[in-house]
Amino acid sequence: MQTLPPGSASPTKRAKLRDALRVYGEKRILAIFFMGFSSGLPLGLTGATLTYWLSEASVSRTSIGLFALVGLSYSYKFLWAPVIDRIPIPLLTRRLGRRRSWGLLIQALLMAAIFLLGHSDPQGDLATLALLAVIVAFLSASQDIVIDAYRIELLKPEEQGAGAAATQWGYRLGMLASGAGAFYLAAFGDWRLAYTVMALLMAVGMATILLTPEPAVILPRVRPGETWLATLLVRPFSDFIERCGGRLDRRRSFVGRAAAFLWSGRAAFLILGFIVLYKLGEAMAGFMASPLYQQLGFTKIEVANIAKIFGVIATLAGVACGGVIVARFGIMTGLLVGGLLQMLSNLMYVAQVLAGHDTTMLAISIFTENFTNGMGSAAFVAYLSSLCSPAFTATQYALFSSLTALPRSFLSAPSGWLVDRLDWIPFFLLTTAAAVPGLLVLLWLMRHPSPSPLREPAARPARVG
């Protein structure tokens, strides 16, 4: 009997690994990658890139701070997601399909808005620039609704992990283009050149959608006595609760019916709580990372160089690794592994505080944090995708992804106050502990799976228009 050299993998294990990696060569996965690039591109143009431009133009820090409100569209996109999910666009939908028509229209408007934003004058007309920034952010959030739904509907359930990884790869590279790429272009020419090139890069997403087939449209059944408005606005949310075990008893009073419905669907609310809590510890720690580096004496150049080189590489490597784990062992195992490593990576900040101004430790800290964040993100996006019903993909995913923004925006707000009261090491130990509740909910979900499949097979796919 032939024995394998020590440390070598068996043929069966190698074959399984090849099968897990082969999915990345699928044309659908490549399309999702380029859509992710288009999704990540506008973010920096209304964030770090824009604020640097405003600072260079001598806009007051108070005014620059208010530009943080531009990003509110990403937190509230679930409010208009039902319109994108259901309402056809005259002429376009019949020719292109529901997802392609909305995607191309939004991307064309986004291209124009980015171009106009770059040709604004922050010194002469700041109000117009702010309005255009709001429009770009709104269109960018709307594009995310379409692209997220496109990904979920286009891929098979077993491809969702690889699709999540491909999305994250494209998204990060899009952010890199609108970050470092825009800075290089502005240094070579000016900000108008930078934003003009970024606007032209939106053509990548448009070409991808034109070359990618329209996914099958699942039409929800309209219940007796239910209006189209209820189907549009209410059903996406009640559908999620029902698929997690909720039961709607139409014989009771309205209040009794609603209370019984919500109680019987308590698994749905545990899932929603998990979505909020899974990234909480990481978000709290990451929000205060830059102030820590500044206090430890790291220069902007040191942080930028290490973050750009090690941070981006680590994130992309972590995303790819997370995608393979999901494909090989399943989404829930990927969430558990990624969540544990995310939690432990917060301790690297403690090591950084103890090391002080040490660039080697900074590189290790940033690499570890970004790698584990990438692993967790790949599994998390795959999990959010698995929660969506084919009939309400855009609306439900917009709701879930909006909940993930809560730790970044609201729950991380007291972080600075906590540092002032506790100091750095106790604070980062607290952020490590803040990851525990999410992991406990995850363990409960793993032990008590939803009574019905989270992604039910569609009865009859149908195309609109």
Side-chain angles (χ1 to χ4, degrees):
M1 182 175 179
Q2 184 180 4
T3 59
L4 294 169
S8 63
S10 67
T12 302
K13 290 183 178 180
R14 288 199 299 269
K16 290 181 178 179
L17 180 60
R18 283 197 301 270
D19 290 340
L21 294 174
R22 188 178 296 124
V23 68
Y24 287 104
E26 293 285 341
K27 292 182 179 179
R28 293 186 302 276
I29 299 297
L30 293 176
I32 295 303
F33 167 79
F34 287 114
M35 290 184 193
F37 176 86
S38 182
S39 181
L41 188 70
L43 189 61
L45 302 178
T46 56
T49 301
L50 179 62
T51 54
Y52 188 94
W53 178 20
L54 296 176
S55 179
E56 190 179 65
S58 301
V59 176
S60 70
R61 286 192 293 267
T62 300
S63 298
I64 293 174
L66 292 175
F67 272 79
L69 298 175
V70 167
L72 286 176
S73 294
Y74 295 99
S75 297
Y76 296 102
K77 60 186 177 182
F78 67 92
L79 294 175
W80 61 91
V83 175
I84 296 176
D85 211 7
R86 280 285 157 260
I87 303 299
I89 301 174
L91 302 178
L92 285 179
T93 299
R94 184 172 294 276
R95 290 176 175 272
L96 300 172
R98 179 178 54 159
R99 299 300 182 210
R100 298 173 79 211
S101 60
W102 273 105
L104 289 170
L105 176 62
I106 291 171
Q107 288 172 337
L109 294 174
L110 194 52
M111 179 184 287
I114 293 173
F115 176 82
L116 293 174
L117 177 61
H119 285 70
S120 302
D121 183 4
Q123 293 177 322
D125 194 352
L126 187 61
T128 299
L129 185 145
L131 176 61
L132 287 168
V134 169
I135 293 172
V136 169
F138 173 79
L139 292 171
S140 176
S142 302
Q143 179 189 223
D144 289 349
I145 295 171
V146 178
I147 288 177
D148 289 331
Y150 214 125
R151 181 189 74 252
I152 297 167
E153 294 169 354
L154 189 66
L155 302 180
K156 302 173 184 177
E158 62 271 18
E159 295 174 335
Q160 292 295 336
T167 297
Q168 290 289 310
W169 269 68
Y171 192 83
R172 300 288 177 174
L173 291 176
M175 290 178 61
L176 188 62
S178 61
F183 274 85
Y184 288 135
L185 288 167
F188 173 76
D190 56 18
W191 289 108
R192 289 190 175 190
L193 172 65
Y195 275 74
T196 298
V197 174
M198 295 302 114
L200 293 174
L201 284 177
M202 287 303 304
V204 172
M206 299 177 71
T208 302
I209 287 181
L210 284 172
L211 295 173
T212 305
E214 172 78 5
V217 175
I218 309 302
L219 299 176
R221 294 186 297 272
V222 179
R223 294 167 177 167
E226 184 178 65
T227 64
W228 70 270
L229 190 61
T231 304
L232 183 70
L233 300 178
V234 179
R235 281 279 302 285
F237 310 107
S238 63
D239 167 84
F240 170 66
I241 296 176
E242 286 177 337
R243 286 184 296 109
C244 292
R247 293 294 180 266
L248 183 60
D249 186 356
R250 300 178 183 278
R251 294 171 295 179
R252 301 187 182 188
S253 65
F254 174 78
V255 176
R257 184 166 68 241
F261 178 55
L262 296 178
W263 174 250
S264 65
R266 57 190 178 277
F269 293 94
L270 280 171
I271 290 174
L272 296 178
F274 167 71
I275 292 172
V276 174
L277 294 173
Y278 185 68
K279 289 281 189 177
L280 176 58
E282 176 218 329
M284 291 177 64
F287 191 76
M288 296 304 298
S290 291
L292 170 67
Y293 300 150
Q294 191 276 331
Q295 185 171 319
L296 292 178
F298 290 103
T299 66
K300 291 188 287 291
I301 297 299
E302 287 174 330
V303 174
N305 286 342
I306 294 175
K308 292 298 182 185
I309 296 172
F310 290 97
V312 172
I313 294 174
T315 300
L316 297 180
V319 165
C321 183
V324 171
I325 291 175
V326 169
R328 178 68 179 84
F329 300 102
I331 292 176
M332 304 307 282
T333 300
L335 284 172
L336 183 60
V337 173
L340 285 170
L341 293 178
Q342 280 180 172
M343 179 182 70
L344 295 175
S345 71
N346 280 3
L347 297 176
M348 292 302 300
Y349 293 108
V350 176
Q352 186 68 65
V353 173
L354 296 175
H357 187 274
D358 186 329
T359 54
T360 301
M361 178 56 70
L362 180 64
I364 296 172
S365 176
I366 287 179
F367 186 92
T368 304
E369 195 275 331
N370 281 270
F371 182 84
T372 57
N373 181 21
M375 284 186 65
S377 295
F380 197 40
V381 170
Y383 178 70
L384 297 182
S385 302
S386 75
L387 297 176
C388 297
S389 169
F392 305 102
T393 310
T395 303
Q396 289 178 346
Y397 193 90
L399 171 65
F400 301 146
S401 58
S402 295
L403 288 174
T404 65
L406 285 178
R408 284 199 313 269
S409 53
F410 295 107
L411 299 182
S412 296
S415 296
W417 180 84
L418 288 171
V419 172
D420 289 337
R421 297 298 184 276
L422 301 176
D423 207 1
W424 288 111
I425 291 180
F427 168 75
F428 286 118
L429 292 176
L430 178 63
T431 64
T432 304
V436 173
L439 292 176
L440 292 177
V441 177
L442 173 61
L443 290 173
W444 188 93
L445 293 174
M446 294 176 74
R447 290 175 59 87
H448 302 85
S450 177
S452 60
L454 290 178
R455 288 199 73 203
E456 298 174 343
R460 286 188 64 183
R463 295 191 179 275
V464 174

